[in-house]
Amino acid sequence: MAKGASGERHEPTFGPSLDLGGERRKPPRPKRKNKKKRARRSFVGRLFYWTLTLGVWAFVGGGVLVAYYAAQLPAIDQLAIPKRPPNIAILAADGALLANRGDTGGAAIHLDELPPYLPKAFVAIEDRRFYEHWGIDPIGILRALASDVTGHGSMQGGSTLTQQLAKNLFLTQERTLSRKIQEAILALWLEHKFTKNQILTLYLNRVYFGSGAFGVEAAAQTYFGHSARYVTLAEAATLAGLMKAPTRLAPNRNPKAATARAAQVIIAMAQQGYITEAMAKYALAHPANAIREKGTDSVNYAADYVMDRVDDMIGAINSDIIVETTLSAGLEKDAGKALTDVLDAQDKKYRVSQGALVAIAPNGAVQALIGGRNYAESQFNRAVAAKRQPGSAFKPFVYLTALERGLTPDSLVRDAPINVRGWKPENYEHRYLGPVTLTKGLSLSLNTVAVRLALEVGPAAIIRTAHRLGITSDLQANASIALGTSEVTPLELVSAYTPFANGGIGVQPYVITAIHTTSGKFLYRRRPSNDVRVIDPQYVAMMNSMLEQTLSSGTARRAHLPPGWQAAGKTGTTQDYRDAWFVGYTSRLVTGVWVGNDDNSPTRRATGGSLPVEIWSKFMTAALQGVPPTGLPDGIWRGPNPFAASPGVPVANNGGANFFGIPLGQQSRAQPTAPMHGGDSRQPGYGQVQRGGLVPPAPIPNHGGYSQSDRKFFGLF
């Protein structure tokens, strides 16, 4: 043992835990933190275990759920893209697009036909990882959820473009788990079946853009008035922005919201490098301007008429087609503006609510057709479907029949009170002029003169004349036909005036020249019509000379045209001012105007010489502006001086012993020719309606029609 400095002995020690010289010590207790560590490791392990277990079961359950909803879909090998509803593009005579018809509202368009920034706008705002994912974008879904949580969810949704396309093609719009699962499955199938560009092309042609427009072409036409091929960057951004809420963000209804959404699209495009900063600044400074909602344009009346004719010509439509028409986009616009401007300014004054206008070229080609004042408020096409009494606008057929029986414009007829079995027609101003020429009787629209002529030639002959010239409606054979009491449509009345403008050739109005598919296959081509003369040239010249006086000194003297134009026509006003008409023509255009009320209520003294003449003048002035003037068909027809026809024959017979005041055999007459028969030019497709209404100025009591034998009574009434 070692000894210390003091000489004492020291024993070695082995630490506090050992007591070699005596009683054994207890070991120290473990620290509390080690126990906590073991407990924490046990909790994490259990959490991991159950998470893994639940994850496995969730995966299995999800797989079963997906399999179940997948089983509800058609077999993948039988799945096909639904056929796109056909579009009907209606073109004007110059090739300009007038309207689209069909469920889509626009033709299909290929991706390479569009400006590059248009599809990129949709990718930028709807699916920025479109070219990277395989139909479903988990990153995009997480980003959308994060945006919703942070309150910045206005930029982008969780569904990919492919999923949106799958929903539009195959599924309903309901928001359910089953629909989302099926949407994802179909998106995967689409990505497997088609390329990215094909998917984008399908998307742009199928999605809904609001205002009844399906597809980007229809949307561009609806909102901006031109093809998607020519949209600006601002317009492209506006269209892409519509995907969030097509109705609420429609630029023609909510321009402020649409502009704000388009700005988001432009910013997204710049951030993703699709456009330069300069392009973005310019687009933001020049937002898109939507046109007036196209569905309200008056051209839609003409488009509806075209569609009716298409259905008659080719039947069922199975693919996109193009319809070439005779319509003029410019004249359609001028006609709609003339009608609405005049009615807007004076409808309250005259208590008139509606109107119609038809303009036809001398060959029968319909150039403008307006069926009402506002298409958005009423789609009823009054130009082709409304049958109304024409009033005195029917008188030219009475006078033509008289001419064909040997009279001339210089022949004298007595303007005096007349009693036709209790019916006493009166003149508009309730005064009488005594003996007048046919020219004066027609230009001043003297009712008693027209009735006397009708009784002389017979109502049946007048009906034959009207049908020969183009009236297609049934007409009642009685004396009141002279005052236009049988109903007709504006289109057929204007058509029946056309032979006066073209030299006597009968026409059937037509509006379609060709129908073909987008690939160029023709389904219909109009063949040149065979000219059929329905009026002898000398009678055309006589009628034009008389009807020209209507504009120069008669009931239509307020009419005006560009300098140098020769025009003729006839006004018409029915009982109680329920209808007001004017049909006037030049050598280039025949135009008829009707105004009145749909419920047949009286207007406030609206006559043919008021609103219709004003509308006609406004339209014809615009239509003929810059067109070289040409004259109406004329000829040599004048006979001997009627006053020198027979010495000693009185000009007027105050006792009423004969019809004209001058014996018929000694009246001035044209050399008779054989009547021209063009056949009964009725056209199918016009419905027949029952005739009604009073005869101006009072109903005919117990009248059953007239025959040629009634002619002998003309001097006794």
Side-chain angles (χ1 to χ4, degrees):
M1 297 292 178
K3 295 182 178 180
S6 57
E8 296 179 356
R9 184 179 176 182
H10 296 279
E11 295 292 334
T13 61
F14 296 92
S17 61
L18 300 174
D19 186 2
L20 300 178
E23 187 178 352
R24 186 176 179 178
R25 288 186 173 184
K26 294 180 180 181
R29 294 179 179 179
K31 295 182 179 180
R32 296 180 62 87
K33 63 180 182 180
N34 293 334
K35 187 176 182 179
K36 289 181 178 180
K37 284 182 179 179
R38 286 197 300 271
R40 189 180 303 117
R41 283 195 297 268
S42 177
F43 172 76
V44 171
R46 287 195 300 269
L47 180 63
F48 176 77
Y49 171 78
W50 286 111
T51 300
L52 181 62
T53 302
L54 291 174
V56 171
W57 281 109
F59 180 80
V60 172
V64 172
L65 196 63
V66 169
Y68 171 77
Y69 287 118
Q72 311 302 312
L73 295 171
I76 291 296
D77 57 351
Q78 298 177 4
L79 204 60
I81 298 297
K83 191 173 182 180
R84 182 178 177 275
N87 179 73
I88 300 94
I90 301 173
L91 306 184
D94 62 357
L97 179 68
L98 290 175
N100 283 297
R101 285 290 186 269
D103 292 339
T104 56
I109 193 166
H110 295 287
L111 201 64
D112 56 5
E113 298 179 70
L114 299 171
Y117 48 73
L118 177 56
K120 290 176 181 177
F122 288 84
V123 172
I125 197 65
E126 290 294 319
D127 188 2
R128 68 180 63 179
R129 284 173 35 84
F130 173 70
Y131 289 103
E132 301 169 21
H133 63 66
W134 28 267
I136 303 172
D137 185 13
I139 297 176
I141 294 173
L142 292 175
R143 184 174 57 249
L145 290 173
S147 297
D148 289 338
V149 171
T150 58
H152 297 87
S154 62
M155 288 292 288
Q156 195 167 13
S159 294
T160 65
L161 288 177
T162 315
Q163 287 176 272
Q164 295 178 42
L165 177 61
K167 178 183 66 177
N168 279 277
L169 290 178
F170 304 107
L171 303 173
T172 65
Q173 299 298 314
E174 62 178 346
R175 297 184 177 184
T176 62
L177 178 62
S178 62
R179 200 269 292 164
K180 292 297 292 183
I181 293 173
Q182 291 176 332
E183 177 185 294
I185 296 170
L186 291 169
L188 294 174
W189 176 80
L190 285 170
E191 290 279 347
H192 172 73
K193 184 78 173 177
F194 301 101
T195 67
K196 288 290 186 179
N197 282 349
Q198 288 174 331
I199 291 172
L200 194 53
T201 299
L202 280 169
Y203 179 87
L204 292 175
N205 280 288
R206 295 299 184 95
V207 293
Y208 182 59
F209 287 83
S211 298
F214 287 85
V216 69
E217 175 68 8
Q221 293 286 354
T222 298
Y223 295 124
F224 307 120
H226 54 72
S227 171
R229 298 172 179 86
Y230 312 116
V231 295
T232 65
L233 175 57
E235 291 171 345
T238 302
L239 294 175
L242 286 169
M243 295 299 95
K244 182 180 181 182
T247 300
R248 181 171 62 84
L249 297 175
N252 56 359
R253 299 179 182 177
N254 193 351
K256 186 175 180 181
T259 300
R261 178 63 174 169
Q264 293 179 347
V265 177
I266 293 168
I267 292 171
M269 294 178 72
Q271 290 174 344
Q272 296 170 47
Y274 289 133
I275 57 175
T276 64
E277 184 178 346
M279 293 172 67
K281 287 181 178 179
Y282 184 86
L284 291 171
H286 300 84
N289 294 314
I291 61 172
R292 184 166 62 97
E293 194 168 353
K294 231 181 174 186
T296 65
D297 286 352
S298 53
V299 73
N300 283 280
Y301 289 112
D304 288 349
Y305 175 57
V306 170
M307 287 302 299
D308 290 341
R309 306 303 299 155
V310 168
D311 188 53
D312 293 339
M313 290 175 174
I314 65 172
I317 300 170
N318 300 315
S319 62
D320 288 359
I321 63 171
I322 296 172
V323 183
E324 299 177 9
T325 74
T326 61
L327 296 165
S328 164
L331 293 186
E332 276 288 331
K333 182 178 179 180
D334 292 337
K337 180 175 172 53
L339 184 68
T340 55
D341 284 356
V342 173
L343 291 184
D344 287 349
Q346 303 190 58
D347 57 350
K348 291 180 174 61
K349 175 183 176 182
Y350 288 100
R351 204 162 56 205
V352 169
S353 61
Q354 277 297 347
L357 184 151
V358 177
I360 298 179
N363 66 350
V366 178
Q367 307 246 275
L369 188 146
I370 307 296
R373 184 176 182 176
N374 187 309
Y375 187 83
E377 295 178 0
S378 172
Q379 291 80 51
F380 178 60
N381 197 338
R382 295 156 191 84
V384 298
K387 293 206 170 188
R388 308 288 296 223
Q389 293 182 347
S392 294
F394 192 83
K395 288 178 181 176
F397 310 118
V398 179
Y399 279 74
L400 174 60
T401 307
L403 295 180
E404 292 177 339
R405 295 302 186 274
L407 300 185
T408 75
D410 290 336
S411 297
L412 295 177
V413 184
R414 188 163 172 247
D415 177 29
I418 187 171
N419 186 330
V420 184
R421 298 183 179 179
W423 175 51
K424 300 177 181 179
E426 299 177 341
N427 291 333
Y428 174 72
E429 296 181 347
H430 304 289
R431 63 189 182 93
Y432 305 94
L433 304 180
V436 295
T437 62
L438 264 64
T439 298
K440 190 168 187 177
L442 185 57
S443 65
L444 298 180
S445 199
L446 301 176
N447 287 339
T448 63
V449 172
V451 172
R452 282 187 163 89
L453 289 175
L455 294 175
E456 165 66 12
V457 300
I462 296 171
I463 291 174
R464 287 193 296 270
T465 298
H467 283 161
R468 192 176 79 228
L469 268 64
I471 296 294
T472 58
S473 295
D474 287 339
L475 304 174
Q476 293 186 339
N478 54 45
S480 68
I481 196 171
L483 305 186
T485 56
S486 289
E487 296 164 340
V488 298
T489 67
L491 177 62
E492 62 182 308
L493 187 60
V494 174
S495 301
Y497 270 66
T498 303
F500 299 137
N502 67 20
I505 305 301
V507 301
Q508 287 191 352
Y510 68 97
V511 70
I512 297 175
T513 56
I515 303 173
H516 57 83
T517 65
T518 54
S519 62
K521 178 183 177 182
F522 278 89
L523 307 176
Y524 166 82
R525 276 181 175 172
R526 185 178 184 274
R527 297 177 180 177
S529 59
N530 296 322
D531 292 343
V532 177
R533 178 166 294 282
V534 294
I535 311 175
D536 190 272
Q538 67 171 332
Y539 301 135
V540 174
M542 294 180 188
M543 290 300 302
N544 286 340
S545 71
M546 291 192 292
L547 291 171
E548 190 177 359
Q549 292 301 309
T550 304
L551 278 75
S552 61
S553 60
T555 55
R557 55 187 175 274
R558 294 174 55 188
H560 57 85
L561 288 176
W565 281 99
Q566 183 184 13
K570 185 70 188 74
T571 59
T573 308
T574 62
Q575 184 184 1
D576 294 332
Y577 306 96
R578 298 177 190 273
D579 305 275
W581 298 75
F582 179 61
V583 183
Y585 56 92
T586 67
S587 58
R588 291 294 185 92
L589 204 59
V590 185
T591 300
V593 178
W594 166 87
V595 299
N597 297 310
D598 285 340
D599 61 2
N600 205 33
S601 60
T603 67
R604 187 178 287 125
R605 300 182 68 83
T607 64
S610 59
L611 295 180
V613 164
E614 186 173 349
I615 294 168
W616 183 90
S617 298
K618 188 177 181 68
F619 167 70
M620 292 290 279
T621 298
L624 298 176
Q625 200 67 46
V627 180
T630 54
L632 291 170
D634 57 10
I636 300 174
W637 55 265
R638 290 191 178 277
N641 187 335
F643 296 99
S646 179
V649 175
V651 172
N653 188 329
N654 293 330
N658 59 49
F659 181 34
F660 296 110
I662 296 178
L664 288 177
Q666 299 179 13
Q667 287 280 340
S668 172
R669 292 176 178 267
Q671 293 298 318
T673 60
M676 307 304 300
H677 296 289
D680 189 350
S681 57
R682 295 170 180 264
Q683 300 177 46
Y686 289 87
Q688 306 301 326
V689 298
Q690 290 188 345
R691 305 295 177 260
L694 299 178
V695 176
I700 302 176
N702 302 320
H703 185 262
Y706 285 80
S707 66
Q708 287 295 100
S709 62
D710 289 301
R711 294 175 58 183
K712 62 184 179 182
F713 295 106
F714 65 80
L716 305 177
F717 300 148

